[in-house]
Amino acid sequence: MDLVSLTEARMQVRVDTTADDAWLSLWITTISDSVMSWLKDEWRAFELLQDSAGDVVVDSAGVPVVALDSAGLPTVKPRVKAAVLVELAMQYRFREGDGKQVDPSAGHGYVLGAGATALLNATRKSTVA
């Protein structure tokens, strides 16, 4: 699932034509997938459904249930959307791969830029016991 729209991506990289739409569409999907992998649990990318007492609703397996928007799609957390947009802008700027904005030590197998990693860190499932 793409975590940002093409319109949001165009706004982030300050493009007002469709000339880069194919590139943006490819990278929206790629970065969305990378962010989802980095978070480890898909539900962490989305707002969670809450009951009338404000408690998170879980399914029969104990997995939190994501909140859906009016179109029936999961509602992306603002920090996750921001991280995708920050990473997209970095990839757009350094299309040739010459940017030094990556912190591999923080990627844990999924290398994202320092800005995206900083935004996502509080949302990610910890692997430290």
Side-chain angles (χ1 to χ4, degrees):
M1 171 182 182
D2 290 346
L3 299 173
V4 300
S5 69
L6 182 58
T7 300
E8 291 168 324
R10 278 193 204 124
M11 288 174 55
Q12 177 70 10
V13 298
R14 307 282 196 263
V15 172
D16 57 4
T17 69
T18 59
D20 288 336
D21 281 3
W23 187 95
L24 288 169
S25 294
L26 172 70
W27 280 90
I28 288 168
T29 300
T30 301
I31 292 168
S32 293
D33 288 348
S34 293
V35 165
M36 295 296 271
S37 293
W38 199 86
L39 291 174
K40 297 185 179 179
D41 298 313
E42 184 174 306
W43 59 265
R44 292 178 185 280
F46 306 107
E47 297 291 346
L48 301 178
L49 187 62
Q50 297 181 351
D51 63 19
S52 59
D55 296 322
V56 173
V57 176
V58 295
D59 65 16
S60 60
V63 176
V65 176
V66 300
L68 303 178
D69 65 15
S70 60
L73 299 172
T75 305
V76 180
K77 287 181 179 177
R79 76 173 43 241
V80 172
K81 190 172 284 233
V84 171
L85 291 170
V86 165
E87 185 69 17
L88 182 69
M90 187 187 74
Q91 294 298 332
Y92 188 79
R93 181 173 181 204
F94 298 107
R95 290 190 221 194
E96 305 304 319
D98 57 354
K100 303 291 188 227
Q101 303 296 318
V102 175
D103 179 7
S105 66
H108 308 285
Y110 303 99
V111 180
L112 297 170
T117 301
L119 287 164
L120 293 171
N121 205 32
T123 306
R124 185 173 190 265
K125 178 182 177 181
S126 175
T127 56
V128 178

